[in-house]
Amino acid sequence: MSVSSAVSTSTSENVLKRAIDWRGAFWVASGVPALVVFSIGGIAGTVGVPAFAVWIVSMCMGFIQSFTYAEIAGLFPNKSGGASVYGASAWLRYGKFIAPLSVWGNWIAWTPVLSLGSAIAAGYILNLMEPAPTAEAIAAYIAQQATSGAVVDEAAAAAALMPIHGWTLFTLDLGIVSLSINWTFFIGAILMLLAFAIQHRGILGTASVQTVVGLVIVITLLIVGVVPFFNGNFHAENFSPFVPLAVPYVPDPGAWNINGWTLVLGGMFIAAWSTYGFETAICYTSEFKDPKTDTFKAIFFSGLLCLVLFILVPITFQGYLGLEGMLGAEIVAGTGVAHAMGAMVAGGSAIINVLFVFLMIAALILIIITAMAGSSRTLYQGSVDGWLPRYLSHVNHNGAPTAAMWTDLVFNLFLLSIASVDPTAYYFILAVSNCGYIIFNFLNLNSGWIHRIDSGHIPRPYKAPTLILGLGGIFAFVNAMFMGAGAEVWNPNALLFGFIAMALIVPVFAFRHYVQDKGQFPPQMLADLGLKSGDLGEKKAGILPYLALAGGVAVVVISAIVFKLG
């Protein structure tokens, strides 16, 4: 199995370039810990006191699963795009339309990070431009309106005093969600264009930017995760009673019954979207100088970083705020997290609060860049391998997959217009995209043992312990349970629309495979496994992959039936 000096499978003359080692990938992926900001409030508001345990369990599961991803990535030193691309190759023998589900599910999960991160960052920028009015200003406005005979409440007064926040060019009701073009949309669009401009320079330039910004953000999150233990802002009583909420977003303790377990599984479902995300470190295999050593190191050390931060930050966050503090509207929406972190570290200093807001904006830009780098390479490699339309394999002179990046950008402008409306729309997008992520996760964890059976003769730079590989296979079904039981906690239609979003790959793949490629796969797709498009090799795993698929579907259906909110 040879490693080419460059990835020459693109349809254009430009190619991805071997320009970084594992440290570069580590820093490109260093934005992943910032994903805690996306849902720390939502999980706390849904689960309650056990929220910190949800983060710990989820992160430990993600770390164990990463060893399977590290092994299968080593089989493909000439591919980019991440675990989904490597896992899809295992499923190809067992069904042409099964394999691309892995690639599509991973992209559906990662691409919304651009719009959701931009929406939160835009919220912070809007609050800097137009701070919330004081209680005195609201009271004065109400009194002023009363003199003219108008009666307004505090919410209406606050809205009137914040015209920038309330301005919208137009709003369109689409039924299940609404679409709005407002200041959040325009500021978010500028941030995504900034991420695009950084990416346009290629992976080496991106890694250089991420190293600087990532180091600042990692240090900041470490401070947030450690300082409250020593400055008196950590309160152990905030971790009891250890029972889930009775009703989401209401600070009343519930019980460990079906309703309580449903909320906890809903938290596990959405936490996976963040804690498993460091697998993006192996999206750059074909851009590593030495993929044999860089691949494992990239995902392992990224995993260690996330293990520390995804455990420490939620613990200190909860230890400071307590249950009622975590249920605050701005915490749930994500736009109050920076102020809370500033208060945790420096006791509410105005200067520190503003500093943390700027750091939070930088952290969000960091994860936006991370997401665009990973998701665009998933689209690129999906195109090179024959899963997605050919135009996505275009690469510019800097080695950046610009056609895939433009696709990410345009799609996320649409999502941003939805996420700009309110937190309900935000969590709807998050839950639907995470259905794709769990399906990708299921297929790829099972691809580990399928590759062992079907391609056991192929040398592996890293081979995961069999016990760890087996645990990954078990976790695939546990994650399926999280989806079946927990998706509808975030939106009654999340599971349905998640399946609809995944089904869109069928016409997309059919167009590429049967219209553009006339029923043949590109010859280089399975070259690393020594296979050809017309001869995919023996199905040594027999019916086991099909049994795994049937078992996964059964787990989702049964979980959805058993776990319901009362």
Side-chain angles (χ1 to χ4, degrees):
M1 181 170 56
S2 62
V3 179
S4 61
S5 60
V7 182
S8 58
T9 54
S10 173
T11 57
S12 67
E13 60 180 7
N14 297 313
V15 297
L16 299 184
K17 300 175 181 179
R18 294 198 179 277
I20 59 172
D21 61 10
W22 70 268
R23 297 174 186 84
F26 173 87
W27 287 114
V28 173
S30 65
V32 171
L35 287 174
V36 70
V37 177
F38 284 60
S39 53
I40 192 168
I43 290 175
T46 302
V47 177
V49 172
F52 77 98
V54 165
W55 286 104
I56 293 173
V57 173
S58 183
M59 186 61 239
C60 290
M61 288 180 62
F63 189 67
I64 291 171
Q65 291 167 180
S66 69
F67 289 89
T68 298
Y69 296 156
E71 175 175 327
I72 64 175
L75 293 169
F76 301 97
N78 299 313
K79 292 185 186 294
S80 277
S84 63
V85 172
Y86 317 138
S89 299
W91 286 97
L92 181 57
R93 288 182 174 94
Y94 301 93
K96 284 185 178 181
F97 284 89
I98 299 173
L101 287 171
S102 174
V103 177
W104 190 251
N106 185 266
W107 179 72
I108 283 178
W110 268 104
T111 191
V113 175
L114 278 68
S115 51
L116 299 182
S118 296
I120 297 175
Y124 279 115
I125 293 172
L126 278 175
N127 288 339
L128 289 173
M129 294 168 56
E130 187 180 60
T134 63
E136 292 79 9
I138 292 174
Y141 182 84
I142 292 174
Q144 180 186 29
Q145 294 301 305
T147 60
S148 61
V151 178
V152 295
D153 58 16
E154 290 187 359
L161 292 170
M162 302 175 72
I164 297 178
H165 280 75
W167 179 85
T168 180
L169 185 62
F170 70 86
T171 299
L172 179 64
D173 187 356
L174 300 177
I176 189 69
V177 293
S178 296
L179 180 152
S180 181
I181 304 299
N182 51 24
W183 277 115
T184 298
F185 175 85
F186 286 113
I187 295 172
I190 291 171
L191 294 176
M192 286 197 287
L193 286 170
L194 173 62
F196 184 96
I198 293 172
Q199 294 282 318
H200 198 270
R201 301 165 57 212
I203 190 62
L204 185 58
T206 301
S208 300
V209 173
Q210 293 287 85
T211 299
V212 176
V213 180
L215 186 61
V216 173
I217 300 308
V218 167
I219 292 173
T220 300
L221 290 175
L222 280 172
I223 291 172
V224 169
V226 173
V227 169
F229 287 113
F230 301 98
N231 67 359
N233 281 335
F234 181 84
H235 309 289
E237 61 269 21
N238 289 336
F239 296 87
S240 62
F242 191 75
V243 292
L245 296 175
V247 180
Y249 305 109
V250 178
D252 295 329
W256 290 103
N257 50 23
I258 290 295
N259 189 78
W261 275 109
T262 300
L263 292 176
V264 170
L265 293 175
M268 291 296 298
F269 167 71
I270 220 70
W273 187 80
S274 299
T275 56
Y276 300 175
F278 66 93
E279 46 83 17
T280 192
I282 54 172
C283 276
Y284 315 99
T285 305
S286 68
E287 294 164 278
F288 286 146
K289 295 175 181 177
D290 184 2
K292 287 185 178 181
T293 59
D294 290 333
T295 301
F296 175 76
K297 289 180 180 178
I299 194 169
F300 179 73
F301 287 108
S302 294
L304 286 181
L305 174 67
C306 288
L307 195 66
V308 172
L309 295 179
F310 275 116
I311 290 176
L312 279 178
V313 172
I315 288 176
T316 54
F317 196 78
Q318 183 169 332
Y320 172 70
L321 284 177
L323 182 57
E324 293 199 12
M326 292 190 298
L327 298 183
E330 288 193 340
I331 299 297
V332 172
T335 54
V337 174
H339 288 295
M341 289 181 172
M344 290 162 58
V345 172
S349 166
I351 295 176
I352 296 298
N353 278 343
V354 172
L355 175 62
F356 264 86
V357 169
F358 280 106
L359 288 171
M360 189 59 62
I361 293 170
L364 291 164
I365 293 174
L366 184 73
I367 186 57
I368 291 167
I369 296 171
T370 297
M372 181 175 281
S375 62
S376 63
R377 280 159 178 80
T378 298
L379 290 179
Y380 162 82
Q381 193 66 50
S383 174
V384 169
D385 284 350
W387 308 118
L388 302 174
R390 286 180 180 174
Y391 83 93
L392 292 168
S393 61
H394 173 76
V395 176
N396 73 359
H397 62 283
N398 292 320
T402 46
M405 289 161 54
W406 276 114
T407 301
D408 263 340
L409 182 64
V410 172
F411 178 66
N412 275 278
L413 287 174
F414 170 70
L415 293 184
L416 179 61
S417 68
I418 297 174
S420 299
V421 177
D422 55 48
T424 302
Y426 171 94
Y427 281 110
F428 172 74
I429 294 173
L430 186 57
V432 170
S433 72
N434 198 42
C435 289
Y437 197 52
I438 295 299
I439 292 171
F440 142 76
N441 172 278
F442 180 89
L443 292 171
N444 275 261
L445 289 176
N446 281 294
S447 76
W449 59 263
I450 295 174
H451 271 307
R452 280 275 186 100
I453 295 173
D454 285 340
S455 304
H457 61 288
I458 302 296
R460 287 158 166 75
Y462 168 76
K463 190 172 184 179
T466 302
L467 176 61
I468 296 295
L469 196 74
L471 272 177
I474 294 172
F475 286 166
F477 293 91
V478 175
N479 287 316
M481 180 181 68
F482 294 159
M483 181 172 72
E488 294 186 1
V489 168
W490 302 93
N491 188 285
N493 299 299
L495 193 59
L496 172 63
F497 277 85
F499 286 141
I500 291 173
M502 286 298 295
L504 294 177
I505 186 58
V506 174
V508 171
F509 171 65
F511 169 75
R512 170 61 195 268
H513 188 63
Y514 294 105
V515 176
Q516 291 190 318
D517 290 345
K518 311 304 180 186
Q520 298 294 316
F521 285 105
Q524 76 280 354
M525 183 186 68
L526 294 174
D528 289 314
L529 297 180
L531 302 175
K532 299 178 181 179
S533 179
D535 180 15
L536 300 179
E538 180 186 355
K539 297 180 181 178
K540 297 178 183 178
I543 65 168
L544 292 179
Y546 301 111
L547 292 177
L549 288 174
V553 172
V555 168
V556 171
V557 172
I558 293 171
S559 300
I561 293 172
V562 171
F563 294 96
K564 294 287 186 182
L565 291 178

